[in-house]
Amino acid sequence: MIQIDQSADVLTLTINRPDKANSLTGEMLETLADAVAGFDGKALILTGRGKVFSAGADLDAAKAGLAVDPVWERLSSAIAGYQGLSIAALNGTLAGGACGMALACDLRIAVPQAKVFYPVMRLGFLPQPSDPPRLKQLVGPSRAKMILMAGMKVSAPEAQEWGLIDRIVEPDDLMQTAHDLAADCIGANAAHVASIKAMIDA
């Protein structure tokens, strides 16, 4: 249910469970985390199949404990620690715990129909520890509270205005845009890519 396409320079990970709104099981999260942790190329692209990027945790798995499993944090930490350019190519709505992997990426692009929401308050769960500070860094404390505490569903245009999404592109152009954004990194020396990223993130 995770499609892995890897070349020497680019790793594309596609959540491929469109019949279940790309909801995530523990096995899928482990597969994503292992793939990211084991990749040392220059660009990482995360996307989904169908019209939803991910609805977050699979409901049955969440009830069985996945909602509070440390695998979410393991995945977002692997993405945040990746030394190349990471891009979340949001083919549709981003929800719940799946927000963590997108927040950990360097860039987020989305289709116009995408929405972002993280209903942890209503569901009675805490967000993963690194998600609130990453969200706050992108959108500021008040808007982070609107998402995490008031349960606001943010449209793609508003998310772009807030700084949560960097670019809105049509569905047919989504993956080409992701590859275009990664092109300079792909053409550069890996150490140079890592050095520039480290200077920005310092």
Side-chain angles (χ1 to χ4, degrees):
M1 289 181 279
I2 301 297
Q3 180 181 332
I4 301 174
D5 298 295
Q6 181 174 340
S7 68
D9 293 323
V10 184
L11 173 64
T12 302
L13 299 174
T14 306
I15 305 170
N16 190 7
R17 200 188 184 199
D19 57 317
K20 298 290 185 181
N22 286 335
S23 58
L24 296 156
T25 64
E27 181 180 0
M28 293 167 70
L29 290 165
E30 292 284 1
T31 298
L32 287 166
D34 288 345
V36 175
F39 180 61
D40 60 359
K42 301 170 189 174
L44 167 67
I45 299 171
L46 299 173
T47 192
R49 187 77 63 206
K51 296 184 178 181
V52 176
F53 175 79
S54 176
D58 175 87
L59 288 178
D60 290 337
K63 292 174 184 176
L66 182 61
V68 294
D69 194 293
V71 68
W72 298 96
E73 194 72 6
R74 179 176 169 240
L75 172 57
S76 63
S77 295
I79 295 169
Y82 171 63
Q83 294 189 330
L85 182 68
S86 55
I87 302 169
L90 304 176
N91 56 296
T93 291
L94 169 68
C99 290
M101 68 178 85
L103 291 171
C105 284
D106 299 309
L107 303 175
R108 285 154 296 281
I109 61 176
V111 299
Q113 301 83 6
K115 291 181 174 63
V116 180
F117 63 104
Y118 201 152
V120 283
M121 185 65 74
R122 177 170 56 84
L123 296 176
F125 297 116
L126 290 174
Q128 294 304 314
S130 63
D131 291 355
R134 288 189 181 124
L135 182 60
K136 175 185 171 182
Q137 185 177 22
L138 290 170
V139 304
S142 295
R143 288 168 173 171
K145 288 169 186 172
M146 289 180 74
I147 294 171
L148 292 173
M149 300 183 74
M152 183 174 178
K153 291 184 178 180
V154 186
S155 67
E158 192 162 25
Q160 185 180 34
E161 180 184 338
W162 288 8
L164 183 55
I165 288 172
D166 300 298
R167 183 176 291 180
I168 297 172
V169 296
E170 293 301 321
D172 289 346
D173 300 326
L174 184 68
M175 293 309 293
Q176 185 59 55
T177 300
H179 283 276
D180 288 347
L181 289 169
D184 280 7
C185 290
I186 293 168
N189 178 277
H192 190 57
V193 175
S195 294
I196 290 179
K197 181 170 178 175
M199 292 172 73
I200 296 169
D201 291 344

